[in-house]
């Protein structure tokens, strides 16, 4: 094994929203780390060793400990680096809400965006588009409840749900460009539109989120991007 | 302040059972509301409008949904008999394997239930491979949580109950004492625990239910 220069390593892909999540968490906690860009067509030995079960990115390696699954990694970072700002809320009920909505995003909402990419025919597409908008309306309600009148899901500071949903903003904007559909429509989801603007201009976030145009170029170049990208 | 705890569940839902186990281990008093999922109550729809499912835990009027989220809420709110490990890395591993159990493992077990012949043989091979991965997490411990039942034991609890029912229905052994000795022992230890034992749904009813699921899924496949 090669000599390690850093105690913290992140195996990921610049374009993967799940990798972006971990990068956001690391930035929030001001943690220095080595980023190792994976090639999913030719997975590294390190990836296969550290995530033998799923063989997917992101994997966060802390010393000799590999942690997999983006939301689990974020919680690990929050539990381990306790002198920085907290990512999860402190109240158990608020934490439960954050976990619930993050699971909703991963299990129910984002799969719809992926499904849209593969949809055949206008009727199928229209049905998925409707479901995506319904999901956004639910997330709008979640934003109102969780933010409690403040700027972000986490209140004044970037928190768990800001990361869990915010990581998709590059792809949401890229999809707007490619489909012509305005997902971030202030007439439908004004709270979330305001949130997205504030989050994207936050100093901890703006250099970490991939640019929408770059994602469009990537998507048009390679059809099989989602292969091997984990939650 | 008097705590008000309500649990919306069904008689058989393994996810609901997780919450029952956690509440009992913590020694908490609660009211049970049994739901009929073919005719959901207005309360359930009010408390879980997004997924409309059980379990839902209502604590002093606030609803928490999704069994693993509920487990963490219970553990963070009531500090006696901790369920999750203290160490962040051990916690991360427990969460990882609970997710694996709910995703890869449960779908592979489901595939065994609803298949037959060669397809079933392949499904069994895949399920056993997943069970071996779970067994590796036990190492030489009595429970995944160590000496006592913890979060991961509760998360995997459905295997201790439902796998033997599946085995009875298909007349084949999935968790062989020789091939999976540690997991086999764990299932026995978990099932024998006095808190867990009193909560199992009636076995004969479960056999009937899963037999019916198998038959209706096989019929669907044959008619395609």
């Amino acid at each position: 094994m090669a000599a390690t220069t850093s105690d913290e390593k992140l195996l990921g892909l610049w374009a993967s929203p799940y990798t972006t999540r971990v990068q956001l968490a690391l930035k929030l906690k001001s943690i220095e780390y080595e980023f190792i860009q994976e090639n999913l067509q030719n997975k590294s030995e390190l990836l296969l060793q550290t995530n033998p079960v799923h063989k997917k990115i992101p994997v966060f390696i802390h010393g000799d400990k590999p942690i997999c699954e983006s939301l689990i990694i974020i919680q690990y970072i929050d539990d381990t680096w306790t002198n920085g700002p907290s990512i999860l809320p402190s109240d158990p009920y608020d934490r439960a809400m954050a976990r619930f909505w993050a699971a909703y995003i991963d299990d129910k909402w984002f799969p719809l965006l992926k499904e849209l990419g593969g949809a055949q025919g206008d009727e199928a597409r229209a049905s998925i588009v409707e479901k995506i908008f319904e999901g956004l309306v639910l997330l709008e309600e979640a934003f109102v409840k969780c933010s409690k009148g403040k700027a972000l899901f986490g209140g004044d500071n970037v928190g768990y749900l800001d990361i869990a949903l915010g990581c998709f903003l590059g792809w949401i904007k890229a999809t707007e460009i490619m489909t012509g559909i305005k997902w971030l429509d202030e007439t439908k989801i004004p709270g979330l539109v305001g949130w997205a603007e504030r989050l994207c201009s936050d100093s901890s976030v703006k250099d970490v989120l991939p640019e929408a145009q770059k994602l469009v170029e990537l998507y048009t170049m390679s059809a099989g991007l989602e292969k091997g990208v984990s939650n | 302040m008097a705590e008000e705890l309500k649990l919306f569940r069904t008689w058989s839902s393994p996810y609901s059972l997780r919450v029952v186990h956690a509440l009992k281990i913590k020694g908490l008093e609660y009211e049970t509301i049994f739901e009929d999922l073919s005719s959901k109550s207005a309360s359930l729809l009010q408390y879980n409008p997004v997924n409309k499912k059980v379990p839902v835990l209502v604590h002093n009027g606030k609803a928490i949904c999704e069994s693993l989220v509920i487990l963490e809420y219970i553990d963070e709110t009531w500090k006696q008999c901790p369920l999750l490990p203290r160490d962040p890395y051990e916690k991360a591993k427990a969460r990882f394997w609970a997710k694996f159990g709910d995703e890869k493992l449960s779908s592979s077990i489901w595939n065994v239930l609803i298949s037959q012949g060669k397809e079933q043989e392949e499904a069994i091979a895949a399920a056993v491979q997943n069970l071996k991965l779970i067994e590796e997490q036990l190492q030489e411990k009595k429970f995944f949580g160590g000496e006592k039942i913890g979060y991961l034991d509760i998360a995997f609890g459905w295997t201790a109950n439902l796998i033997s029912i599946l085995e009875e229905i298909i007349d084949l052994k999935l968790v062989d004492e020789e091939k999976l000795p540690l997991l086999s022992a764990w299932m026995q230890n978990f099932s024998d625990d006095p808190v867990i034992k009193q909560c199992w749904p009636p076995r004969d009813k479960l056999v009937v239910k899963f037999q019916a699921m198998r038959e209706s899924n096989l019929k669907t496949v044959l008619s395609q």
Side-chain angles (χ1 to χ4, degrees), chain B residues 28-76:
Chain B
L28 298 167
E29 299 281 323
Y30 63 99
E31 183 196 340
T32 299
I33 294 121
F34 282 102
E35 284 285 327
D36 170 2
L37 295 182
S38 62
S39 172
K40 293 172 187 177
S41 72
S43 295
L44 178 64
L45 298 176
Q46 177 207 331
Y47 286 127
N48 192 357
V50 177
N51 295 328
K52 306 176 175 55
K53 287 178 175 178
V54 292
V56 180
L57 182 72
V58 182
H59 181 209
N60 295 336
K62 289 184 178 168
I64 304 102
C65 311
E66 295 298 304
S67 62
L68 295 180
V69 175
I70 297 172
L71 288 187
E72 298 224 28
Y73 175 80
I74 290 172
D75 208 33
E76 287 168 3

Side-chain angles (χ1 to χ4, degrees), chain A:
Chain A
M1 195 142 106
T4 53
T5 50
S6 170
D7 229 15
E8 288 85 27
K9 290 182 172 51
L10 174 62
L11 305 184
L13 285 181
W14 72 269
S16 158
Y18 305 112
T19 301
T20 303
R21 279 181 177 169
V22 182
Q23 290 176 297
L24 286 168
L26 291 166
K27 182 94 191 271
L28 279 175
K29 298 279 194 179
S30 306
I31 299 167
E32 304 260 321
Y33 63 97
E34 183 190 345
F35 182 76
I36 299 167
Q37 174 87 358
E38 275 291 327
N39 175 359
L40 296 181
Q41 266 66 55
N42 185 16
K43 293 176 184 179
S44 70
E45 248 332 287
L46 187 59
L47 175 58
L48 299 175
Q49 265 169 30
T50 51
N51 192 356
V53 175
H54 300 300
K55 305 177 179 55
K56 288 179 172 178
I57 52 91
V59 181
F60 179 60
I61 306 171
H62 184 203
D64 58 352
K65 297 179 241 186
I67 301 106
C68 311
E69 302 292 314
S70 63
L71 295 178
I72 293 175
I73 296 171
I74 295 173
Q75 291 181 87
Y76 172 81
I77 290 171
D78 206 30
D79 288 338
T80 305
W81 282 271
T82 51
N83 48 349
S86 273
I87 295 175
L88 269 126
S90 49
D91 173 74
Y93 181 70
D94 293 338
R95 289 160 78 88
M97 287 303 100
R99 287 177 176 134
F100 172 85
W101 285 110
Y104 169 80
I105 289 162
D106 278 2
D107 298 340
K108 301 263 159 71
W109 186 74
F110 187 63
L112 293 170
L113 276 185
K114 291 204 273 188
E115 220 182 296
L116 185 63
Q120 305 288 344
D122 288 338
E123 222 179 278
R125 283 175 58 82
S127 161
I128 299 171
V129 166
E130 199 185 315
K131 286 188 190 148
I132 294 174
F133 274 121
E134 281 168 8
L136 284 170
V137 167
L138 285 177
L139 290 167
E140 170 86 1
E141 287 168 23
F143 174 70
V144 169
K145 282 202 190 110
C146 295
S147 63
K148 300 178 197 184
K150 296 198 170 173
L152 303 168
F153 280 96
D156 292 320
N157 302 310
V158 176
Y160 187 73
L161 268 182
D162 297 292
I163 296 176
L165 185 58
C167 68
F168 294 112
L169 283 171
W171 278 106
I172 290 173
K173 291 177 185 173
T175 315
E176 282 185 334
I177 295 168
M178 291 189 287
T179 62
I181 300 170
K182 193 169 185 207
W183 302 115
L184 297 171
D185 182 344
E186 57 270 5
T187 64
K188 294 188 172 124
I189 49 169
L192 281 181
V193 172
W195 163 79
E197 278 163 26
R198 288 189 293 275
L199 190 72
C200 289
S201 51
D202 184 287
S203 55
S204 307
V205 172
K206 67 174 182 241
D207 300 324
V208 180
L209 287 186
E211 283 170 40
Q213 198 50 53
K214 290 212 170 95
L215 293 173
V216 172
E217 283 162 23
L218 180 69
Y219 188 85
T220 37
M221 260 199 327
S222 59
L225 178 72
E226 258 79 55
K227 210 169 32 174
V229 174
S230 88
N231 286 3

Side-chain angles (χ1 to χ4, degrees), chain B residues 7-17 20 32-38 44 53-55 201 209:
Chain B
L7 174 62
F8 288 80
R9 61 170 290 197
T10 59
W11 70 271
S12 64
S13 154
Y15 302 109
S16 299
L17 213 49
V20 172
T32 299
I33 294 121
F34 282 102
E35 284 285 327
D36 170 2
L37 295 182
S38 62
L44 178 64
K53 287 178 175 178
V54 292
K209 179 184 163 121

Side-chain angles (χ1 to χ4, degrees), chain B residues 108-125:
Chain B
S108 66
I109 302 280
W110 176 254
N111 288 340
V112 174
L113 177 70
I114 61 165
S115 60
Q116 55 189 354
K118 182 129 203 308
E119 223 184 272
Q120 192 182 59
E121 276 172 35
E122 289 168 5
I124 290 176

Side-chain angles (χ1 to χ4, degrees), chain B residues 79-136:
Chain B
K79 305 289 189 193
Q80 69 274 28
C81 306
L83 300 175
L84 272 138
R86 275 213 135 81
D87 174 72
Y89 183 57
E90 293 304 315
K91 233 191 260 204
K93 284 201 288 183
R95 288 172 175 146
F96 175 89
W97 287 106
K99 193 169 185 232
F100 175 85
D102 278 3
E103 292 171 2
K104 286 235 160 100
L105 178 65
S106 86
S107 65
S108 66
I109 302 280
W110 176 254
N111 288 340
V112 174
L113 177 70
I114 61 165
S115 60
Q116 55 189 354
K118 182 129 203 308
E119 223 184 272
Q120 192 182 59
E121 276 172 35
E122 289 168 5
I124 290 176
V128 170
Q129 205 170 9
N130 287 333
L131 289 165
K132 282 207 169 104
L133 287 176
I134 304 289
E135 188 180 65
E136 276 167 30

